[in-house]
Amino acid sequence: MTTYSVSCRRVGNWWAISVPELKGVHTQARRLDQVAAMAREAIALLLEIDPAAISIEVHPELPGTVVAALDARRTARDADEKAEQATTTAVRALLGDGYTVRDAGALLGLSPQRISQIAAQNTTRPTSSAA
């Protein structure tokens, strides 16, 4: 199966589709979810092959607002991961220093049950051993 990268951008009410790898392959679709099928059909017609033998990777041109939203979501995910790691470290440190589960929860703004869940998580990560 051959994979083609397909570029598309919004023009009016349509997605203008092109296949940079194949000169002259252009088509259009009404919706983004139709781009891959339309591109596959256009490529198959040009190359005279079965559309099932073609895999498509769609790369839409993103408006600036979408890029900003995706960046913000990525930043938020990263911040959530850092917060989880910092919370786990704090819980283990507090409990290791003799704080009660209730006190650790009060300090971190978490329920005692959540503190217990965090404390019970496996503290070691699996490592691969070299033979």
Side-chain angles (χ1 to χ4, degrees), residues 92-113:
R92 292 192 177 130
L94 289 170
L95 297 179
D97 288 343
Y99 286 79
T100 66
V101 169
R102 283 194 182 279
D103 285 345
L107 291 171
L108 291 168
L110 298 171
S111 70
Q113 292 84 1

Side-chain angles (χ1 to χ4, degrees), residues 7-123:
S7 301
C8 61
R9 64 184 177 89
R10 192 77 175 157
V11 178
N13 291 328
W14 293 87
W15 285 95
I17 306 164
S18 63
V19 184
E21 299 166 63
L22 300 172
K23 286 194 182 264
V25 178
H26 302 282
T27 187
Q28 60 186 8
R30 278 292 221 180
R31 297 189 326 255
L32 185 57
D33 64 346
Q34 298 171 334
V35 168
M38 296 300 292
R40 184 177 294 108
E41 188 65 30
I43 293 167
L45 285 171
L46 176 77
L47 301 179
E48 298 179 354
I49 60 174
D50 182 6
I54 301 169
S55 175
I56 302 293
E57 291 179 359
V58 177
H59 301 283
E61 183 179 290
L62 303 176
T65 55
V66 173
V67 171
L70 292 173
D71 287 345
R73 292 175 68 197
R74 187 177 310 107
T75 299
R77 270 193 314 276
D78 292 346
D80 282 345
E81 288 175 17
K82 287 179 184 176
E84 281 296 318
Q85 292 170 353
T87 300
T88 298
T89 299
V91 165
R92 292 192 177 130
L94 289 170
L95 297 179
D97 288 343
Y99 286 79
T100 66
V101 169
R102 283 194 182 279
D103 285 345
L107 291 171
L108 291 168
L110 298 171
S111 70
Q113 292 84 1
R114 182 66 185 129
I115 297 296
S116 294
Q117 288 173 340
I118 293 168
Q121 289 173 347
N122 189 357
T123 58

